[in-house]
Amino acid sequence: MKKYFVALALALFSTVAFSQQITRFGVVDTAKVFQAYFKASAPMRTYESKKADFQKEIDRRTEEIRKLRQQKVDAQNAGNDSQVLRLDADIARKTESLTEYTHSKNMELENLKNSLQNSNDFYNKLYNVIERVAENEGFSAILSLQQGNGILWYSSSVDVTDKVIHELGL
């Protein structure tokens, strides 16, 4: 009789334990996914190409200013005050132009990067893939590593909203 009771209790416990869903959470490093996704894409290659072109132009202009400064030193050593004044004006003008160029191109690159990161096509694809992976792996919710409280996907089976509303009598 004791063996029968133990076997029945064990069977009942097993049934209750296995009938309850075990909630599993996963995390996604969306920044890493973004980097991997766009690394070989045409828009990212365009971004990297523009960035390199802008840097070449900045380097060229910086070298030009450096040469003008050297010419100014040479003119000072030669006592050519009129050339020193002309070179000073050129250096100031070119330095200001370089600063404006750098600022505008950095803004252009930042806007291009933001448009890549905020691509609806990318995020629609990302969320569909996250949902598929989560369901295949048996996760109930997927959290974003970039957002401390950012739930990217969750199974409706763990959503107790309607039950809470019902219990509140609403």
Side-chain angles (χ1 to χ4, degrees):
M1 179 78 164
K2 193 173 186 180
K3 286 182 183 181
Y4 175 75
F5 180 70
V6 170
L8 182 62
L10 189 58
L12 183 60
F13 175 73
S14 297
T15 303
V16 170
F18 288 114
S19 70
Q20 297 213 356
Q21 178 183 356
I22 298 173
T23 302
R24 292 183 56 209
F25 290 90
V27 296
V28 173
D29 184 344
T30 52
K32 186 175 179 180
V33 172
F34 171 81
Q35 185 179 17
Y37 181 81
F38 284 109
K39 186 175 187 178
S41 72
M44 186 54 93
R45 285 192 307 271
T46 300
Y47 170 83
E48 292 297 334
S49 174
K50 281 188 176 196
K51 186 177 175 181
D53 291 346
F54 296 159
Q55 188 59 52
K56 283 179 190 174
E57 180 62 17
I58 289 169
D59 292 346
R60 185 192 67 75
R61 290 182 182 202
T62 301
E63 180 61 22
E64 188 177 327
I65 292 168
R66 190 197 63 74
K67 287 178 181 178
L68 287 172
R69 287 183 176 150
Q70 183 58 49
Q71 290 174 8
K72 178 184 168 188
V73 168
D74 294 344
Q76 284 172 329
N77 290 340
N80 189 342
D81 292 336
S82 64
Q83 186 162 351
V84 169
L85 290 174
R86 184 185 61 76
L87 288 168
D88 244 352
D90 282 351
I91 291 168
R93 185 176 45 79
K94 290 185 185 267
T95 300
E96 184 177 333
S97 174
L98 175 59
T99 301
E100 289 173 6
Y101 176 83
T102 302
H103 179 71
S104 71
K105 294 306 177 181
N106 281 338
M107 284 180 42
E108 185 178 332
L109 286 173
E110 188 64 29
N111 289 337
L112 184 58
K113 185 177 179 183
N114 287 338
S115 72
L116 286 173
Q117 289 178 335
N118 296 323
S119 164
N120 283 337
D121 292 338
F122 167 69
Y123 280 105
N124 287 337
K125 187 173 184 176
L126 173 65
Y127 292 131
N128 289 335
V129 169
I130 287 172
E131 179 180 8
R132 188 171 56 246
V133 168
E135 288 175 346
N136 289 341
E137 297 294 323
F139 290 109
S140 300
I142 300 293
L143 307 173
S144 171
L145 285 178
Q146 278 62 45
Q147 302 164 343
N149 60 353
I151 296 176
L152 297 175
W153 177 88
Y154 66 93
S155 170
S156 59
S157 67
V158 297
D159 185 353
V160 296
T161 306
D162 290 337
K163 291 177 184 175
V164 170
I165 291 170
H166 178 72
E167 290 295 319
L168 286 172
L170 303 174

